[in-house]
Amino acid sequence: MASDCLERLNWEFLKYIWSYPIICRPGILEKLSQLTPNQQVIILRKPIEVRDFLQNISHNSDLIN
């Protein structure tokens, strides 16, 4: 990790990763299920998807509104 990175690989972080599916994920899924039809979630899994999204966002006003 970079020297200025605040995250550290320690027990607290490992505990968070381990418990995420049980503790955090249900709350996130609940919030996502409450989205209205005019709300959109965009999931970007790869750096190339982020790059493409950022390049296309200025050309597609539907993603902004």
Side-chain angles (χ1 to χ4, degrees):
M1 289 189 208
S3 61
D4 59 344
C5 180
L6 299 177
E7 293 178 343
R8 297 287 179 246
L9 186 58
N10 56 27
W11 286 113
E12 182 179 345
F13 184 64
L14 291 173
K15 180 181 174 187
Y16 170 77
I17 293 170
W18 185 263
S19 64
Y20 177 86
I22 297 165
I23 307 264
C24 298
R25 190 171 189 266
I28 292 170
L29 293 176
E30 174 64 26
K31 289 177 184 177
L32 289 173
S33 73
Q34 295 173 4
L35 292 175
T36 62
N38 66 332
Q39 294 176 305
Q40 181 180 20
V41 174
I42 300 170
I43 298 172
L44 306 171
R45 292 186 173 97
K46 299 176 184 176
I48 194 167
E49 293 174 342
V50 174
R51 187 197 70 212
D52 291 346
F53 175 78
L54 293 174
Q55 286 179 348
N56 293 323
I57 195 165
S58 63
H59 301 295
N60 188 346
S61 63
D62 292 339
L63 293 175
I64 297 171
N65 297 326

